[in-house]
Amino acid sequence: MILVTGGAGYIGSHTVKELLRIGYEVVVLDNLSQGHREAVLTPHFEQVDLQDQKAIRSIFKKYSIDAVIHFAAFSIVGESNLLPHKYFNNNTKNTLQLLDTMIEFGVLKFVFSSTCSIYGNPEYVPLDEKHPIRPINAYAESKRMVESILEYYNNAYALKSVRLRYFNACGADLDGQIGESHDPETHLIPLALKVAKGEKPHLNIFGTDYPTPDGTCIRDYIHVTDLADAHIKALEYLKSASGESITLNLGTGSGYSVKEVIETCREVTGHPIPTIEITRREGDPSVLVAQSQLVKDKLNWIPKNSNLKTIIHSAWQWEVNRRF
Ligand code: UDP
Protein backbone atom coordinates (compact mmCIF):
# COMPACT_ATOMS: atom_id res chain seq x y z
CA MET A 1 0.00 0.00 0.00
CA ILE A 2 1.31 3.45 -0.95
CA LEU A 3 0.38 6.42 1.25
CA VAL A 4 -0.15 9.58 -0.79
CA THR A 5 -0.50 12.76 1.26
CA GLY A 6 -2.24 15.57 -0.59
CA GLY A 7 -3.77 12.98 -2.93
CA ALA A 8 -6.86 15.16 -3.40
CA GLY A 9 -4.73 17.99 -4.81
CA TYR A 10 -3.61 18.72 -8.33
CA ILE A 11 -0.38 16.76 -8.78
CA GLY A 12 -1.32 14.26 -6.05
CA SER A 13 -4.58 13.21 -7.69
CA HIS A 14 -2.92 12.68 -11.08
CA THR A 15 -0.24 10.56 -9.42
CA VAL A 16 -2.86 8.48 -7.60
CA LYS A 17 -4.63 7.86 -10.88
CA GLU A 18 -1.42 6.58 -12.45
CA LEU A 19 -0.55 4.44 -9.41
CA LEU A 20 -3.98 2.79 -9.54
CA ARG A 21 -3.75 2.29 -13.30
CA ILE A 22 -0.62 0.22 -12.95
CA GLY A 23 -1.97 -1.80 -10.05
CA TYR A 24 -0.76 -0.20 -6.83
CA GLU A 25 -3.02 -0.01 -3.80
CA VAL A 26 -3.22 3.55 -2.57
CA VAL A 27 -4.44 5.32 0.55
CA VAL A 28 -4.91 9.08 0.28
CA LEU A 29 -4.45 11.36 3.26
CA ASP A 30 -5.77 14.89 2.73
CA ASN A 31 -7.45 17.52 4.92
CA LEU A 32 -9.34 18.89 1.88
CA SER A 33 -8.25 22.44 2.75
CA GLN A 34 -7.27 22.85 -0.89
CA GLY A 35 -7.90 19.44 -2.44
CA HIS A 36 -11.18 18.08 -3.80
CA ARG A 37 -12.98 14.98 -2.59
CA GLU A 38 -14.02 14.26 -6.21
CA ALA A 39 -10.36 14.08 -7.20
CA VAL A 40 -9.68 11.13 -4.87
CA LEU A 41 -9.81 8.08 -7.09
CA THR A 42 -8.92 5.40 -4.56
CA PRO A 43 -11.51 3.90 -2.18
CA HIS A 44 -9.06 4.37 0.70
CA PHE A 45 -9.39 7.96 1.83
CA GLU A 46 -8.52 9.45 5.21
CA GLN A 47 -9.54 13.06 5.81
CA VAL A 48 -6.83 14.02 8.24
CA ASP A 49 -4.67 17.06 8.86
CA LEU A 50 -0.95 16.40 8.84
CA GLN A 51 -0.50 18.16 12.15
CA ASP A 52 -2.65 15.50 13.85
CA GLN A 53 0.11 13.03 14.64
CA LYS A 54 -2.21 10.73 16.57
CA ALA A 55 -4.42 10.33 13.50
CA ILE A 56 -1.37 9.84 11.28
CA ARG A 57 -0.10 7.09 13.56
CA SER A 58 -3.47 5.34 13.42
CA ILE A 59 -3.27 5.37 9.60
CA PHE A 60 0.12 3.67 9.80
CA LYS A 61 -1.44 1.09 12.13
CA LYS A 62 -4.50 0.55 9.95
CA TYR A 63 -2.71 0.04 6.61
CA SER A 64 0.39 -1.88 5.71
CA ILE A 65 2.29 1.02 4.13
CA ASP A 66 5.35 0.35 1.97
CA ALA A 67 6.22 3.89 0.93
CA VAL A 68 5.01 7.47 1.17
CA ILE A 69 4.61 10.04 -1.61
CA HIS A 70 4.27 13.40 0.08
CA PHE A 71 2.47 16.20 -1.77
CA ALA A 72 0.52 17.87 1.03
CA ALA A 73 1.85 21.42 1.34
CA PHE A 74 1.03 25.08 0.87
CA SER A 75 2.60 26.51 -2.28
CA ILE A 76 1.67 30.14 -2.88
CA VAL A 77 4.96 32.03 -2.98
CA GLY A 78 3.63 35.54 -2.25
CA GLU A 79 1.54 34.31 0.66
CA SER A 80 4.52 32.46 2.13
CA ASN A 81 6.41 35.69 2.80
CA LEU A 82 3.37 37.23 4.46
CA LEU A 83 2.51 34.13 6.52
CA PRO A 84 5.80 32.24 7.05
CA HIS A 85 4.37 30.62 10.19
CA LYS A 86 1.78 28.82 8.04
CA TYR A 87 4.44 27.53 5.64
CA PHE A 88 7.08 26.45 8.15
CA ASN A 89 4.50 24.73 10.33
CA ASN A 90 2.75 22.82 7.60
CA ASN A 91 5.45 22.26 5.02
CA THR A 92 8.38 21.71 7.39
CA LYS A 93 7.21 20.83 10.90
CA ASN A 94 4.34 18.56 9.82
CA THR A 95 6.61 16.85 7.31
CA LEU A 96 9.16 16.22 10.04
CA GLN A 97 6.41 14.66 12.14
CA LEU A 98 5.40 12.47 9.21
CA LEU A 99 9.01 11.33 8.73
CA ASP A 100 9.29 10.47 12.42
CA THR A 101 6.10 8.42 12.22
CA MET A 102 7.44 6.61 9.15
CA ILE A 103 10.61 5.70 11.02
CA GLU A 104 8.62 4.55 14.03
CA PHE A 105 6.68 2.16 11.76
CA GLY A 106 9.73 1.09 9.75
CA VAL A 107 8.55 2.72 6.50
CA LEU A 108 11.76 3.89 4.84
CA LYS A 109 10.85 4.98 1.30
CA PHE A 110 9.82 8.58 0.65
CA VAL A 111 9.14 10.58 -2.51
CA PHE A 112 9.19 14.30 -1.80
CA SER A 113 7.71 17.23 -3.73
CA SER A 114 10.42 19.85 -3.79
CA THR A 115 10.66 22.86 -6.04
CA CYS A 116 12.99 24.59 -8.48
CA SER A 117 12.35 27.78 -6.50
CA ILE A 118 14.87 26.58 -3.92
CA TYR A 119 17.59 27.71 -6.39
CA GLY A 120 16.50 31.33 -5.94
CA ASN A 121 17.59 33.72 -8.69
CA PRO A 122 19.52 31.54 -11.17
CA GLU A 123 23.22 32.21 -11.66
CA TYR A 124 23.05 30.21 -14.89
CA VAL A 125 20.48 28.29 -16.93
CA PRO A 126 19.60 25.56 -17.58
CA LEU A 127 19.66 24.85 -13.87
CA ASP A 128 21.35 21.64 -12.86
CA GLU A 129 21.12 20.02 -9.44
CA LYS A 130 24.53 21.45 -8.47
CA HIS A 131 23.32 25.02 -8.80
CA PRO A 132 23.63 26.86 -5.44
CA ILE A 133 20.54 26.67 -3.21
CA ARG A 134 19.43 30.18 -2.24
CA PRO A 135 15.71 30.39 -1.46
CA ILE A 136 14.22 33.87 -1.68
CA ASN A 137 10.84 33.11 -0.11
CA ALA A 138 9.45 31.16 2.84
CA TYR A 139 7.83 28.55 0.59
CA ALA A 140 11.16 27.61 -1.00
CA GLU A 141 12.91 27.75 2.38
CA SER A 142 10.30 25.41 3.89
CA LYS A 143 11.09 22.87 1.15
CA ARG A 144 14.87 23.34 1.40
CA MET A 145 14.70 22.58 5.11
CA VAL A 146 12.97 19.27 4.39
CA GLU A 147 15.58 18.38 1.76
CA SER A 148 18.21 18.99 4.40
CA ILE A 149 16.38 16.92 7.04
CA LEU A 150 16.14 14.10 4.49
CA GLU A 151 19.93 14.07 4.10
CA TYR A 152 20.39 13.56 7.83
CA TYR A 153 17.58 11.00 8.06
CA ASN A 154 19.12 9.08 5.18
CA ASN A 155 22.44 8.87 6.99
CA ALA A 156 21.10 8.18 10.47
CA TYR A 157 17.98 6.09 9.86
CA ALA A 158 18.44 4.75 6.30
CA LEU A 159 15.30 6.62 5.22
CA LYS A 160 15.66 6.56 1.44
CA SER A 161 14.15 9.42 -0.51
CA VAL A 162 13.80 10.88 -3.96
CA ARG A 163 13.52 14.67 -3.84
CA LEU A 164 11.86 15.95 -7.01
CA ARG A 165 12.41 19.62 -7.73
CA TYR A 166 9.41 20.53 -9.86
CA PHE A 167 9.46 23.17 -12.54
CA ASN A 168 6.04 24.46 -13.79
CA ALA A 169 3.35 21.79 -13.43
CA CYS A 170 0.44 22.26 -15.82
CA GLY A 171 -2.09 20.51 -18.05
CA ALA A 172 -4.73 17.96 -17.07
CA ASP A 173 -5.48 14.27 -17.21
CA LEU A 174 -5.93 13.30 -20.88
CA ASP A 175 -9.19 11.45 -20.05
CA GLY A 176 -10.71 14.63 -18.59
CA GLN A 177 -11.50 12.91 -15.28
CA ILE A 178 -9.39 15.26 -13.12
CA GLY A 179 -7.55 18.54 -13.62
CA GLU A 180 -6.26 21.73 -12.03
CA SER A 181 -8.62 23.55 -9.67
CA HIS A 182 -7.09 26.10 -7.33
CA ASP A 183 -8.87 28.77 -5.33
CA PRO A 184 -7.57 31.39 -5.76
CA GLU A 185 -6.04 30.52 -9.14
CA THR A 186 -2.68 32.24 -9.67
CA HIS A 187 -1.10 30.22 -12.49
CA LEU A 188 -0.61 31.47 -16.00
CA ILE A 189 -2.22 28.73 -18.11
CA PRO A 190 -5.50 28.26 -16.17
CA LEU A 191 -5.87 32.05 -15.92
CA ALA A 192 -5.32 32.49 -19.67
CA LEU A 193 -7.93 29.79 -20.32
CA LYS A 194 -10.44 31.47 -17.99
CA VAL A 195 -10.05 34.58 -20.13
CA ALA A 196 -10.52 32.48 -23.27
CA LYS A 197 -13.68 31.03 -21.75
CA GLY A 198 -15.03 34.51 -21.00
CA GLU A 199 -14.87 34.07 -17.22
CA LYS A 200 -12.35 36.89 -16.85
CA PRO A 201 -12.07 40.01 -19.03
CA HIS A 202 -8.29 40.02 -19.50
CA LEU A 203 -4.99 38.47 -18.44
CA ASN A 204 -2.23 40.46 -16.76
CA ILE A 205 1.27 39.98 -18.12
CA PHE A 206 3.65 40.53 -15.22
CA GLY A 207 6.60 42.39 -16.74
CA THR A 208 7.73 42.87 -20.33
CA ASP A 209 11.20 44.25 -19.52
CA TYR A 210 12.97 41.00 -18.65
CA PRO A 211 16.27 40.22 -20.45
CA THR A 212 14.58 37.60 -22.68
CA PRO A 213 13.86 37.73 -26.44
CA ASP A 214 10.29 39.06 -26.03
CA GLY A 215 10.79 40.67 -22.60
CA THR A 216 8.56 38.20 -20.70
CA CYS A 217 9.61 35.46 -18.27
CA ILE A 218 10.61 32.03 -19.54
CA ARG A 219 9.52 28.88 -17.69
CA ASP A 220 9.86 25.12 -18.15
CA TYR A 221 6.29 23.77 -18.38
CA ILE A 222 5.83 20.11 -17.55
CA HIS A 223 2.62 18.17 -18.06
CA VAL A 224 1.13 16.89 -14.81
CA THR A 225 0.88 13.32 -16.18
CA ASP A 226 4.62 13.39 -16.91
CA LEU A 227 5.15 14.57 -13.33
CA ALA A 228 2.93 11.74 -12.11
CA ASP A 229 4.91 9.23 -14.15
CA ALA A 230 8.16 10.47 -12.60
CA HIS A 231 6.75 9.77 -9.12
CA ILE A 232 5.96 6.16 -10.06
CA LYS A 233 9.45 5.78 -11.47
CA ALA A 234 10.90 7.33 -8.30
CA LEU A 235 9.01 4.77 -6.24
CA GLU A 236 10.29 1.94 -8.42
CA TYR A 237 13.82 3.35 -8.16
CA LEU A 238 13.56 3.28 -4.35
CA LYS A 239 12.38 -0.34 -4.46
CA SER A 240 15.37 -1.42 -6.52
CA ALA A 241 18.50 -2.60 -4.72
CA SER A 242 20.50 0.41 -5.89
CA GLY A 243 17.89 2.94 -4.80
CA GLU A 244 20.09 5.41 -2.95
CA SER A 245 18.60 8.76 -1.97
CA ILE A 246 18.77 11.29 -4.74
CA THR A 247 17.70 14.82 -5.69
CA LEU A 248 16.42 15.40 -9.23
CA ASN A 249 15.16 18.31 -11.27
CA LEU A 250 11.81 17.57 -12.81
CA GLY A 251 11.45 19.69 -15.90
CA THR A 252 11.63 19.10 -19.63
CA GLY A 253 14.67 21.21 -20.48
CA SER A 254 12.66 23.48 -22.82
CA GLY A 255 11.50 26.97 -21.95
CA TYR A 256 8.61 29.12 -23.21
CA SER A 257 7.95 32.80 -22.59
CA VAL A 258 4.71 34.13 -21.10
CA LYS A 259 3.84 35.61 -24.49
CA GLU A 260 4.50 32.29 -26.26
CA VAL A 261 2.22 30.50 -23.80
CA ILE A 262 -0.58 33.03 -24.31
CA GLU A 263 -0.21 32.83 -28.10
CA THR A 264 -0.49 29.03 -27.93
CA CYS A 265 -3.59 29.39 -25.73
CA ARG A 266 -5.11 31.61 -28.43
CA GLU A 267 -4.27 29.05 -31.15
CA VAL A 268 -5.61 26.07 -29.20
CA THR A 269 -8.83 27.71 -28.01
CA GLY A 270 -9.58 29.93 -31.00
CA HIS A 271 -10.34 32.82 -28.59
CA PRO A 272 -8.55 36.20 -28.57
CA ILE A 273 -7.40 36.41 -24.84
CA PRO A 274 -6.95 40.16 -24.26
CA THR A 275 -3.89 41.02 -22.17
CA ILE A 276 -2.73 43.99 -20.11
CA GLU A 277 1.00 44.49 -19.60
CA ILE A 278 1.72 45.48 -16.01
CA THR A 279 4.77 45.62 -13.75
CA ARG A 280 6.80 42.61 -12.72
CA ARG A 281 5.47 40.29 -10.03
CA GLU A 282 7.83 40.32 -7.05
CA GLY A 283 10.22 37.39 -6.84
CA ASP A 284 9.91 36.15 -10.44
CA PRO A 285 13.32 35.25 -11.93
CA SER A 286 13.54 35.96 -15.67
CA VAL A 287 14.35 32.38 -16.75
CA LEU A 288 13.78 29.03 -15.01
CA VAL A 289 14.62 26.07 -17.21
CA ALA A 290 15.80 22.65 -16.02
CA GLN A 291 18.83 20.70 -16.99
CA SER A 292 16.91 17.44 -16.85
CA GLN A 293 19.48 14.86 -17.90
CA LEU A 294 19.86 13.40 -14.41
CA VAL A 295 16.19 12.46 -13.98
CA LYS A 296 16.20 10.96 -17.46
CA ASP A 297 19.30 8.88 -16.65
CA LYS A 298 18.45 7.85 -13.09
CA LEU A 299 14.74 7.13 -13.47
CA ASN A 300 14.68 6.28 -17.15
CA TRP A 301 11.98 8.94 -17.46
CA ILE A 302 11.03 10.85 -20.57
CA PRO A 303 8.30 13.45 -20.79
CA LYS A 304 5.58 12.26 -23.18
CA ASN A 305 2.88 14.94 -22.94
CA SER A 306 4.88 18.10 -22.24
CA ASN A 307 4.65 19.57 -25.70
CA LEU A 308 3.12 23.03 -25.12
CA LYS A 309 0.14 22.38 -27.41
CA THR A 310 -0.68 19.07 -25.70
CA ILE A 311 -0.43 20.77 -22.31
CA ILE A 312 -2.75 23.59 -23.27
CA HIS A 313 -5.16 21.35 -25.17
CA SER A 314 -5.61 19.07 -22.14
CA ALA A 315 -5.98 22.08 -19.81
CA TRP A 316 -8.59 23.58 -22.16
CA GLN A 317 -10.58 20.33 -22.31
CA TRP A 318 -10.62 20.37 -18.51
CA GLU A 319 -11.52 24.06 -18.29
CA VAL A 320 -14.58 23.65 -20.51
CA ASN A 321 -15.74 20.36 -18.92
CA ARG A 322 -14.71 20.83 -15.30
CA ARG A 323 -16.02 18.34 -12.78
CA PHE A 324 -14.90 20.35 -9.72
N1 UDP B 1 2.22 35.19 -15.07
C1 UDP B 1 1.65 36.28 -15.71
N2 UDP B 1 0.34 36.58 -15.45
C2 UDP B 1 -0.42 35.83 -14.59
C3 UDP B 1 0.15 34.71 -13.96
C4 UDP B 1 1.48 34.42 -14.22
O1 UDP B 1 2.31 37.00 -16.47
O2 UDP B 1 -1.60 36.18 -14.40
C5 UDP B 1 3.63 34.86 -15.34
C6 UDP B 1 4.50 34.82 -14.09
O3 UDP B 1 5.03 36.11 -13.83
C7 UDP B 1 5.56 33.81 -14.49
C8 UDP B 1 4.84 32.85 -15.44
O4 UDP B 1 3.67 33.55 -15.85
O5 UDP B 1 6.60 34.44 -15.20
C9 UDP B 1 4.43 31.55 -14.77
O6 UDP B 1 3.77 31.88 -13.57
P1 UDP B 1 2.94 30.82 -12.74
O7 UDP B 1 2.29 31.56 -11.60
O8 UDP B 1 2.05 30.05 -13.64
O9 UDP B 1 4.02 29.79 -12.20
P2 UDP B 1 5.36 30.05 -11.32
O10 UDP B 1 6.46 30.24 -12.33
O11 UDP B 1 5.14 31.23 -10.44
O12 UDP B 1 5.51 28.78 -10.57
Side-chain angles (χ1 to χ4, degrees), residues 159-177:
L159 181 95
K160 300 294 166 200
S161 62
V162 179
R163 287 84 73 153
L164 297 171
R165 292 177 179 161
Y166 304 161
F167 283 67
N168 286 59
C170 47
D173 170 34
L174 300 180
D175 303 333
Q177 190 180 16

PDB file of all heavy atoms in Angstrom, residues 159-177:
ATOM      1  N   LEU A 159      16.533   6.221   5.903  1.00  0.00           N
ATOM      2  CA  LEU A 159      15.300   6.619   5.221  1.00  0.00           C
ATOM      3  C   LEU A 159      15.685   7.061   3.805  1.00  0.00           C
ATOM      4  O   LEU A 159      16.379   8.061   3.633  1.00  0.00           O
ATOM      5  CB  LEU A 159      14.620   7.778   5.959  1.00  0.00           C
ATOM      6  CG  LEU A 159      13.317   8.206   5.307  1.00  0.00           C
ATOM      7  CD1 LEU A 159      12.135   7.525   5.971  1.00  0.00           C
ATOM      8  CD2 LEU A 159      13.123   9.701   5.373  1.00  0.00           C
ATOM      9  N   LYS A 160      15.261   6.277   2.826  1.00  0.00           N
ATOM     10  CA  LYS A 160      15.657   6.565   1.436  1.00  0.00           C
ATOM     11  C   LYS A 160      14.622   7.462   0.776  1.00  0.00           C
ATOM     12  O   LYS A 160      13.418   7.199   0.874  1.00  0.00           O
ATOM     13  CB  LYS A 160      15.770   5.253   0.637  1.00  0.00           C
ATOM     14  CG  LYS A 160      16.802   4.293   1.202  1.00  0.00           C
ATOM     15  CD  LYS A 160      18.197   4.858   1.067  1.00  0.00           C
ATOM     16  CE  LYS A 160      19.193   4.106   1.918  1.00  0.00           C
ATOM     17  NZ  LYS A 160      20.412   4.854   2.186  1.00  0.00           N
ATOM     18  N   SER A 161      15.102   8.488   0.105  1.00  0.00           N
ATOM     19  CA  SER A 161      14.147   9.424  -0.505  1.00  0.00           C
ATOM     20  C   SER A 161      14.577   9.837  -1.900  1.00  0.00           C
ATOM     21  O   SER A 161      15.766   9.842  -2.229  1.00  0.00           O
ATOM     22  CB  SER A 161      13.989  10.665   0.382  1.00  0.00           C
ATOM     23  OG  SER A 161      15.215  11.340   0.504  1.00  0.00           O
ATOM     24  N   VAL A 162      13.567  10.192  -2.686  1.00  0.00           N
ATOM     25  CA  VAL A 162      13.801  10.882  -3.961  1.00  0.00           C
ATOM     26  C   VAL A 162      13.173  12.255  -3.813  1.00  0.00           C
ATOM     27  O   VAL A 162      11.982  12.373  -3.504  1.00  0.00           O
ATOM     28  CB  VAL A 162      13.174  10.126  -5.153  1.00  0.00           C
ATOM     29  CG1 VAL A 162      13.420  10.900  -6.447  1.00  0.00           C
ATOM     30  CG2 VAL A 162      13.750   8.724  -5.271  1.00  0.00           C
ATOM     31  N   ARG A 163      14.004  13.295  -3.961  1.00  0.00           N
ATOM     32  CA  ARG A 163      13.521  14.671  -3.842  1.00  0.00           C
ATOM     33  C   ARG A 163      13.362  15.219  -5.255  1.00  0.00           C
ATOM     34  O   ARG A 163      14.363  15.371  -5.977  1.00  0.00           O
ATOM     35  CB  ARG A 163      14.551  15.522  -3.084  1.00  0.00           C
ATOM     36  CG  ARG A 163      14.627  15.231  -1.604  1.00  0.00           C
ATOM     37  CD  ARG A 163      15.515  14.045  -1.232  1.00  0.00           C
ATOM     38  NE  ARG A 163      16.940  14.323  -1.362  1.00  0.00           N
ATOM     39  CZ  ARG A 163      17.905  13.714  -0.669  1.00  0.00           C
ATOM     40  NH1 ARG A 163      17.622  12.741   0.182  1.00  0.00           N
ATOM     41  NH2 ARG A 163      19.157  14.033  -0.855  1.00  0.00           N
ATOM     42  N   LEU A 164      12.119  15.495  -5.635  1.00  0.00           N
ATOM     43  CA  LEU A 164      11.860  15.949  -7.006  1.00  0.00           C
ATOM     44  C   LEU A 164      11.636  17.456  -7.003  1.00  0.00           C
ATOM     45  O   LEU A 164      10.682  17.941  -6.378  1.00  0.00           O
ATOM     46  CB  LEU A 164      10.633  15.215  -7.568  1.00  0.00           C
ATOM     47  CG  LEU A 164      10.793  13.693  -7.692  1.00  0.00           C
ATOM     48  CD1 LEU A 164       9.461  13.036  -8.044  1.00  0.00           C
ATOM     49  CD2 LEU A 164      11.853  13.339  -8.740  1.00  0.00           C
ATOM     50  N   ARG A 165      12.534  18.159  -7.674  1.00  0.00           N
ATOM     51  CA  ARG A 165      12.406  19.624  -7.732  1.00  0.00           C
ATOM     52  C   ARG A 165      11.606  19.998  -8.974  1.00  0.00           C
ATOM     53  O   ARG A 165      12.132  20.056 -10.089  1.00  0.00           O
ATOM     54  CB  ARG A 165      13.798  20.262  -7.774  1.00  0.00           C
ATOM     55  CG  ARG A 165      14.558  20.064  -6.466  1.00  0.00           C
ATOM     56  CD  ARG A 165      15.957  20.628  -6.523  1.00  0.00           C
ATOM     57  NE  ARG A 165      16.650  20.443  -5.260  1.00  0.00           N
ATOM     58  CZ  ARG A 165      17.968  20.502  -5.105  1.00  0.00           C
ATOM     59  NH1 ARG A 165      18.758  20.757  -6.155  1.00  0.00           N
ATOM     60  NH2 ARG A 165      18.499  20.328  -3.913  1.00  0.00           N
ATOM     61  N   TYR A 166      10.311  20.254  -8.741  1.00  0.00           N
ATOM     62  CA  TYR A 166       9.411  20.526  -9.863  1.00  0.00           C
ATOM     63  C   TYR A 166       9.709  21.872 -10.512  1.00  0.00           C
ATOM     64  O   TYR A 166       9.935  22.860  -9.829  1.00  0.00           O
ATOM     65  CB  TYR A 166       7.953  20.634  -9.408  1.00  0.00           C
ATOM     66  CG  TYR A 166       7.370  19.478  -8.660  1.00  0.00           C
ATOM     67  CD1 TYR A 166       6.232  19.665  -7.895  1.00  0.00           C
ATOM     68  CD2 TYR A 166       7.915  18.206  -8.720  1.00  0.00           C
ATOM     69  CE1 TYR A 166       5.652  18.618  -7.201  1.00  0.00           C
ATOM     70  CE2 TYR A 166       7.339  17.157  -8.025  1.00  0.00           C
ATOM     71  CZ  TYR A 166       6.221  17.370  -7.265  1.00  0.00           C
ATOM     72  OH  TYR A 166       5.647  16.349  -6.575  1.00  0.00           O
ATOM     73  N   PHE A 167       9.553  21.902 -11.824  1.00  0.00           N
ATOM     74  CA  PHE A 167       9.458  23.167 -12.538  1.00  0.00           C
ATOM     75  C   PHE A 167       7.944  23.474 -12.662  1.00  0.00           C
ATOM     76  O   PHE A 167       7.225  23.238 -11.713  1.00  0.00           O
ATOM     77  CB  PHE A 167      10.274  23.109 -13.838  1.00  0.00           C
ATOM     78  CG  PHE A 167      11.760  23.248 -13.524  1.00  0.00           C
ATOM     79  CD1 PHE A 167      12.436  22.262 -12.825  1.00  0.00           C
ATOM     80  CD2 PHE A 167      12.452  24.411 -13.830  1.00  0.00           C
ATOM     81  CE1 PHE A 167      13.774  22.414 -12.433  1.00  0.00           C
ATOM     82  CE2 PHE A 167      13.786  24.575 -13.456  1.00  0.00           C
ATOM     83  CZ  PHE A 167      14.445  23.579 -12.764  1.00  0.00           C
ATOM     84  N   ASN A 168       7.436  23.988 -13.785  1.00  0.00           N
ATOM     85  CA  ASN A 168       6.035  24.456 -13.794  1.00  0.00           C
ATOM     86  C   ASN A 168       5.042  23.364 -14.186  1.00  0.00           C
ATOM     87  O   ASN A 168       4.876  23.069 -15.376  1.00  0.00           O
ATOM     88  CB  ASN A 168       5.908  25.652 -14.736  1.00  0.00           C
ATOM     89  CG  ASN A 168       6.513  26.901 -14.132  1.00  0.00           C
ATOM     90  OD1 ASN A 168       7.692  26.928 -13.800  1.00  0.00           O
ATOM     91  ND2 ASN A 168       5.704  27.923 -13.963  1.00  0.00           N
ATOM     92  N   ALA A 169       4.360  22.825 -13.177  1.00  0.00           N
ATOM     93  CA  ALA A 169       3.352  21.792 -13.427  1.00  0.00           C
ATOM     94  C   ALA A 169       2.141  22.407 -14.113  1.00  0.00           C
ATOM     95  O   ALA A 169       1.683  23.489 -13.728  1.00  0.00           O
ATOM     96  CB  ALA A 169       2.916  21.178 -12.105  1.00  0.00           C
ATOM     97  N   CYS A 170       1.613  21.732 -15.113  1.00  0.00           N
ATOM     98  CA  CYS A 170       0.443  22.263 -15.823  1.00  0.00           C
ATOM     99  C   CYS A 170      -0.224  21.158 -16.637  1.00  0.00           C
ATOM    100  O   CYS A 170       0.254  20.026 -16.664  1.00  0.00           O
ATOM    101  CB  CYS A 170       0.854  23.420 -16.733  1.00  0.00           C
ATOM    102  SG  CYS A 170       2.282  23.038 -17.711  1.00  0.00           S
ATOM    103  N   GLY A 171      -1.351  21.503 -17.275  1.00  0.00           N
ATOM    104  CA  GLY A 171      -2.086  20.512 -18.054  1.00  0.00           C
ATOM    105  C   GLY A 171      -3.024  19.706 -17.170  1.00  0.00           C
ATOM    106  O   GLY A 171      -3.113  19.921 -15.961  1.00  0.00           O
ATOM    107  N   ALA A 172      -3.743  18.771 -17.796  1.00  0.00           N
ATOM    108  CA  ALA A 172      -4.726  17.965 -17.066  1.00  0.00           C
ATOM    109  C   ALA A 172      -4.725  16.558 -17.644  1.00  0.00           C
ATOM    110  O   ALA A 172      -4.278  16.319 -18.779  1.00  0.00           O
ATOM    111  CB  ALA A 172      -6.107  18.584 -17.193  1.00  0.00           C
ATOM    112  N   ASP A 173      -5.247  15.658 -16.839  1.00  0.00           N
ATOM    113  CA  ASP A 173      -5.485  14.274 -17.214  1.00  0.00           C
ATOM    114  C   ASP A 173      -6.048  14.194 -18.639  1.00  0.00           C
ATOM    115  O   ASP A 173      -7.022  14.891 -18.951  1.00  0.00           O
ATOM    116  CB  ASP A 173      -6.490  13.751 -16.180  1.00  0.00           C
ATOM    117  CG  ASP A 173      -7.057  12.409 -16.527  1.00  0.00           C
ATOM    118  OD1 ASP A 173      -6.331  11.593 -17.110  1.00  0.00           O
ATOM    119  OD2 ASP A 173      -8.239  12.184 -16.185  1.00  0.00           O
ATOM    120  N   LEU A 174      -5.484  13.340 -19.481  1.00  0.00           N
ATOM    121  CA  LEU A 174      -5.926  13.300 -20.877  1.00  0.00           C
ATOM    122  C   LEU A 174      -7.327  12.705 -21.021  1.00  0.00           C
ATOM    123  O   LEU A 174      -7.986  12.914 -22.033  1.00  0.00           O
ATOM    124  CB  LEU A 174      -4.911  12.530 -21.736  1.00  0.00           C
ATOM    125  CG  LEU A 174      -3.485  13.120 -21.751  1.00  0.00           C
ATOM    126  CD1 LEU A 174      -2.554  12.295 -22.637  1.00  0.00           C
ATOM    127  CD2 LEU A 174      -3.448  14.576 -22.175  1.00  0.00           C
ATOM    128  N   ASP A 175      -7.816  11.979 -20.006  1.00  0.00           N
ATOM    129  CA  ASP A 175      -9.190  11.451 -20.046  1.00  0.00           C
ATOM    130  C   ASP A 175     -10.220  12.478 -19.586  1.00  0.00           C
ATOM    131  O   ASP A 175     -11.421  12.191 -19.612  1.00  0.00           O
ATOM    132  CB  ASP A 175      -9.354  10.244 -19.102  1.00  0.00           C
ATOM    133  CG  ASP A 175      -8.380   9.135 -19.419  1.00  0.00           C
ATOM    134  OD1 ASP A 175      -7.961   9.045 -20.584  1.00  0.00           O
ATOM    135  OD2 ASP A 175      -8.046   8.364 -18.492  1.00  0.00           O
ATOM    136  N   GLY A 176      -9.774  13.600 -19.055  1.00  0.00           N
ATOM    137  CA  GLY A 176     -10.712  14.633 -18.593  1.00  0.00           C
ATOM    138  C   GLY A 176     -11.367  14.330 -17.253  1.00  0.00           C
ATOM    139  O   GLY A 176     -12.296  15.019 -16.832  1.00  0.00           O
ATOM    140  N   GLN A 177     -10.875  13.293 -16.555  1.00  0.00           N
ATOM    141  CA  GLN A 177     -11.499  12.909 -15.283  1.00  0.00           C
ATOM    142  C   GLN A 177     -11.147  13.883 -14.151  1.00  0.00           C
ATOM    143  O   GLN A 177     -11.971  14.203 -13.308  1.00  0.00           O
ATOM    144  CB  GLN A 177     -11.033  11.486 -14.940  1.00  0.00           C
ATOM    145  CG  GLN A 177     -11.774  10.854 -13.797  1.00  0.00           C
ATOM    146  CD  GLN A 177     -11.266   9.443 -13.512  1.00  0.00           C
ATOM    147  OE1 GLN A 177     -10.179   9.044 -13.975  1.00  0.00           O
ATOM    148  NE2 GLN A 177     -12.032   8.686 -12.756  1.00  0.00           N
TER     149      GLN A 177
END
